[in-house]
Each structure stands twice: as C-alpha cells, then as structure tokens.
Amino acid sequence: MLGERLDSWLRGHESLVDVLIALLLCASCVLFGLFVRADAAYFVFSLVLPLPLAVRRRKATVCAALVLGGAAVQWLTVRDGNGALPADLAVPLAVHAAAAYGPRWTGRAGLAAGLFGAVLGGLSWPLLPSSVTAHVLVGALLASTVVAAWAMGSLRRVRLAERDQRARLAVLAERTRIAREMHDIVAHSLAVVIAQADGGRYAAATSPEAGRTALATIGDCARQAMGELRRVLGVLRDGPETAEPQPGLDDVPELVDRVRAGGLDVRLVFEAPPGPIEAGFSLAAYRIVQEGLTNVLKHAGTAARAEVSVRWPGGRLEIDVLDDGPARTAGPGGGHGLAGMRERAAAYRGTVTLEPRPGGGHRLSARLPVLA
C-alpha cells in the first residue's frame, strides 16, 4: 500500500522530483568540494552540470544539450587539473532523459555525444602517468555507462508508449461500451414510444381512454429511459463506485410488462438464476432481451406476438426472443443492435444468432456459458 502511494505521488509530481534530484546532486557535489577544498572551477561545474536535470522530462533536448555542452567545456578547460568530477554523473542521466523523453533523434544524438565524450575521457584520464590499458579501461567504463543509460532510457520510452497505448485502448473500449449502452436504452425506448404514439393516434379518435393509456405508457417509458441514461452518465461523471446499479436479469419481467403495456403481446418464460451471477453478466443478458424486444417492435410492430424465454439448462444461460411478424431482410452485420448483442455475448464467451422461423417471424437466440 505504501509503495503504491509513493509511486502514485511520484507520477503526479514528476517535475518536482526532477528539481529535487538536480538540487540534491548539486548539494552533494558542493559539500564534497568543500570537504576536499576544491578550486572555483570545481564549484562552477558542480552547478552547471546538474542543474539542467531539473527539466530533464519536460525539455529533454534542452537538458541534454546543456549537460553535454557543459561536459565538453569541462574537458577543454579543467581536464588537466580537476579531471573527472562527481557532477559528471549528470551526463548519463541526461543521456537517459534524451532517450526516454525526447525525440528519437535526441536520444541518438545524446548517445553519440556521450560515446565521443567517453573517448575523450579515456584519452585524458587518469591524470597520473599510466599505461595505455588504464586509459582504455577508463574509456570503456565511461562508454558502458553511457550505453547503459541510453538503453534504460530507450526501454523507458517503450514502456511509456505501451502505457499510452493501453490508455487509448481503454478509452476506446469505454467509449464503445457507453455507446452500446446508449444505443440499447434509446433504441428500446423510442421503439416503445413510436409504437404507442402510432397506436394511440388511431385509437384516440374512437376511444379517448386508449389514447390516455398510450400517453401514460409513453411517459412511463420516457421516465425509465431517463433513469437509465442518468445511471450511464453517472458512471462518466462520478465513476462506477458511486453510480446507481444497472438493470439485470431480475428486471426482465418488469421489462416485459413495460413492453406488454406498450401494446405488444409478449409471453414470458422466465427461470430465475440458479445462484449468484456477476453484475456484468446479468446486465448483458438484460440488454440482449431488451434489444430483442426492440427489434420486434421496430420490424414487426405491435400487431405481432412475441415470446421471451430465459432458461438455465446444463450450466449455461439460454435466451430466445421469438416473434411471428413479417419476414425482414437483415444485412450481413445485422445492424448496430445485433452487433452490440454479439459483442456483449462474446465478452462472456457466448454467441447470438438471428434466424427466420419456418412459419414466419424470427428467432433471436443467445447462448452464454456461466463462468465459474
């Protein structure tokens, strides 16, 4: 828990962390210089090299240019005096930042400049008369440090790209889910409203009571749709923890009653779940029934008869929505509603099919295994 909080805080204060690291490195170098009584040039480079690290994530190119430029000036001016400084630790940090946070060309340029600096360092250090082997070892050590920093920065870039890709996919999936919910809610409600409005318009001329009943059903359906839309939008506004519960299989009888009140003759065969089921699974099943009845209203009208069957044979959920309306032609995709039902079912390893019935009408069948 503490580690997660620390990681979350570091992610939310990256700029502050960079400033603190730069200041800490400066302070450490200055204190070391005071301890060894270094000259003025030492203290100048102890500030010039680490300070650009304060912007290593926000302006990686600028940071790399300043640090590597400062290191070049150091080599030109004090290579025969102070030699390598503790502040030179800023060089691999700048190369890492260039590879991780800057444009790709910045990472490559930082690597090339760092390796060139390693060669120069190998030529100049150690300062005491030493063998060629000692200079080669120093140069190899500096070069390996630069390469390691560049490799770690490149790996960091890849991980950041993967994180951004996952975030984009999550946003796309959430948009798809919300669009599917909105489609199911609006399409079903409008189908009932249209059916009632058409029926009430003709019935009102001879039976005012039938017209009032149609208007009452329209109002009830609209209020139901508004409530469901508020729940969906509540997830967007407040998050899933504070949103009201979504409908589920237990609400199927109420859904059928509402459609029946809208004028469609619906027969329901409903078996209660044999045990607790996941909320998402229950919502998917409810939406499949809802979309099936919506299709009946849209394509067959209230003159047709429908039958809804919800059963649990053999450890799986079977949903069938049948109607005896006129035959209709569906495209290869079956429309957005059928595609949405298939996506919901596929999320639980299930299938949805829509087939014409021999005696007229259609059968919508969904088969969803109950996952343990």
Side-chain angles (χ1 to χ4, degrees):
M1 183 65 70
L2 180 61
E4 292 179 357
R5 290 182 179 178
L6 178 61
D7 181 70
S8 177
W9 186 89
L10 292 176
R11 289 179 182 273
H13 301 82
E14 291 181 341
S15 298
L16 177 60
V17 171
D18 291 343
V19 172
L20 291 177
I21 290 175
L23 294 178
L24 180 61
L25 184 56
C26 285
S28 301
C29 294
V30 169
L31 289 175
F32 180 79
L34 293 175
F35 179 75
V36 300
R37 298 182 179 180
D39 58 13
Y42 172 93
F43 291 102
V44 170
F45 286 108
S46 293
L47 297 177
V48 169
L49 291 174
L51 281 179
L53 296 176
V55 294
R56 68 189 184 95
R57 269 183 267 227
R58 287 175 292 165
K59 299 182 179 180
T61 303
V62 174
C63 171
L66 292 176
V67 172
L68 294 173
V73 174
Q74 172 201 348
W75 186 85
L76 292 172
T77 57
V78 300
R79 68 178 185 273
D80 296 327
N82 293 322
L85 305 177
D88 289 330
L89 181 61
V91 173
L93 292 178
V95 172
H96 173 277
Y101 308 110
R104 292 190 180 275
W105 68 265
T106 302
R108 298 189 184 100
L111 174 63
L115 292 177
F116 182 70
V119 173
L120 296 179
L123 292 174
S124 301
W125 305 316
L127 297 176
L128 297 176
S130 305
S131 64
V132 175
T133 303
H135 288 278
V136 171
L137 290 176
V138 170
L141 175 63
L142 296 176
S144 63
T145 303
V146 170
V147 171
W150 176 83
M152 293 177 65
S154 299
L155 179 60
R156 175 65 174 168
R157 172 190 290 277
V158 171
R159 289 179 175 175
L160 290 174
E162 290 177 350
R163 187 182 68 182
D164 293 341
Q165 180 68 11
R166 286 195 299 269
R168 286 193 291 269
L169 291 176
V171 170
L172 180 60
E174 185 66 9
R175 286 179 177 174
T176 302
R177 186 188 68 81
I178 292 171
R180 191 165 55 226
E181 290 290 324
M182 299 285 281
H183 170 273
D184 291 345
I185 294 169
V186 174
H188 172 76
S189 302
L190 287 180
V192 174
V193 167
I194 291 171
Q196 282 295 298
D198 289 341
R201 181 176 58 187
Y202 294 109
T206 57
S207 176
E209 182 62 28
R212 286 192 292 269
T213 301
L215 291 175
T217 303
I218 290 173
D220 292 340
C221 183
R223 280 188 290 272
Q224 176 74 16
M226 184 175 294
E228 293 193 33
L229 287 175
R230 283 175 176 170
R231 282 194 289 269
V232 173
L233 297 177
V235 174
L236 293 177
R237 183 179 61 251
D238 303 321
E241 293 82 3
T242 57
E244 297 180 17
Q246 293 278 60
L249 271 173
D250 292 339
D251 300 298
V252 167
E254 180 183 349
L255 169 67
V256 171
D257 289 340
R258 192 164 60 248
V259 174
R260 190 181 290 131
L264 180 65
D265 183 8
V266 186
R267 177 173 174 265
L268 174 64
V269 177
F270 182 80
E271 293 181 8
I277 57 175
E278 182 191 348
F281 184 94
S282 183
L283 173 63
Y286 176 89
R287 293 299 187 203
I288 290 173
V289 174
Q290 184 183 51
E291 182 63 24
L293 290 173
T294 300
N295 286 340
V296 175
L297 286 170
K298 286 168 58 178
H299 299 288
T302 55
R305 290 180 298 177
E307 179 180 334
V308 176
S309 174
V310 178
R311 305 179 308 279
W312 301 85
R316 69 173 183 173
L317 172 61
E318 295 187 355
I319 298 174
D320 291 298
V321 181
L322 298 79
D323 70 85
D324 60 359
R328 58 183 185 272
T329 302
H336 295 293
L338 183 58
M341 285 189 285
R342 285 172 173 162
E343 288 177 4
R344 290 182 185 277
Y348 295 93
R349 302 179 188 175
T351 59
V352 173
T353 58
L354 179 63
E355 301 173 334
R357 298 175 64 193
H362 288 77
R363 174 194 293 269
L364 175 71
S365 300
R367 303 292 183 262
L368 290 83
V370 180
L371 304 180

